[in-house]
């Protein structure tokens, strides 16, 4: 149980770069792509079942989405507001959700095949 709480906490603190580096705007999302991939692998390594991979990656996706929106709102408030920035924020959100969904799909498939191979089925 403690291990799961640590993994969920790691997934939630991925919101911090968006808050800390908001002055860079949409670039933060680009920088987070490899970090999300690594965290997704960590989620897979520490999950016992496929359902846990989906849950952990869903938590990561929710906080990534929140991070993108907080980053954009802070940028709009403190730097500048423009309609292109809103479009970028929306595009980043969609791309992130597709990216995490693909990572989750690949890792669930790998976990399924690995479990099947180790059980000798």
């Amino acid at each position: 149980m403690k291990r799961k709480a640590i993994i969920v906490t790691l997934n939630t603190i991925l919101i911090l770069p968006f808050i800390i580096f908001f002055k860079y705007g949409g670039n933060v999302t680009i920088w987070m792509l490899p970090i999300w991939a690594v965290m997704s692998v960590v989620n897979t390594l520490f999950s016992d079942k496929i359902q846990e991979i989906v849950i952990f990656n869903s938590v990561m996706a929710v906080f990534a989405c929140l991070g993108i929106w907080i980053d954009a709102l802070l940028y709009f408030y403190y730097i500048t507001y423009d309609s292109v920035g809103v479009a970028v924020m929306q595009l980043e959100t969609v791309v992130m959700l597709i990216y995490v969904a693909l990572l989750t799909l690949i890792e669930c498939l790998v976990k399924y095949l690995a479990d099947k191979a180790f059980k000798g089925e």
Side-chain angles (χ1 to χ4, degrees):
M1 186 64 175
K2 187 176 183 180
R3 178 179 71 174
K4 293 177 186 177
I6 292 170
I7 295 299
V8 170
T9 302
L10 285 174
N11 283 299
T12 58
I13 63 172
L14 291 180
I15 198 171
L16 291 178
F18 291 102
I19 297 168
I20 295 169
F21 301 113
F22 75 89
K23 66 181 177 181
Y24 298 107
N27 292 329
V28 180
T29 302
I30 295 169
W31 300 334
M32 290 298 291
L33 289 173
I35 295 171
W36 288 327
V38 169
M39 191 65 219
S40 187
V41 170
V42 170
N43 289 341
T44 302
L45 292 175
F46 286 98
S47 62
D48 297 326
K49 301 181 227 173
I50 290 175
Q51 293 85 357
E52 289 180 359
I53 297 171
V54 173
I55 291 169
F56 292 152
N57 282 359
S58 296
V59 169
M60 181 177 66
V62 166
F63 279 91
C65 188
L66 286 172
I68 290 169
W69 284 64
I70 289 170
D71 175 73
L73 292 174
L74 289 171
Y75 186 85
F76 295 154
Y77 186 79
Y78 289 107
I79 310 297
T80 186
Y81 176 83
D82 59 346
S83 59
V84 174
V86 174
V88 168
M89 172 190 65
Q90 293 170 345
L91 178 65
E92 288 175 343
T93 303
V94 170
V95 168
M96 178 275 305
L97 290 172
I98 292 170
Y99 182 67
V100 172
L102 286 173
L103 288 173
T104 304
L105 180 67
I106 291 166
E107 290 165 354
C108 287
L109 182 62
V110 168
K111 182 81 167 172
Y112 172 77
L113 294 174
D115 288 348
K116 192 174 179 180
F118 286 123
K119 290 181 181 175
E121 295 178 9

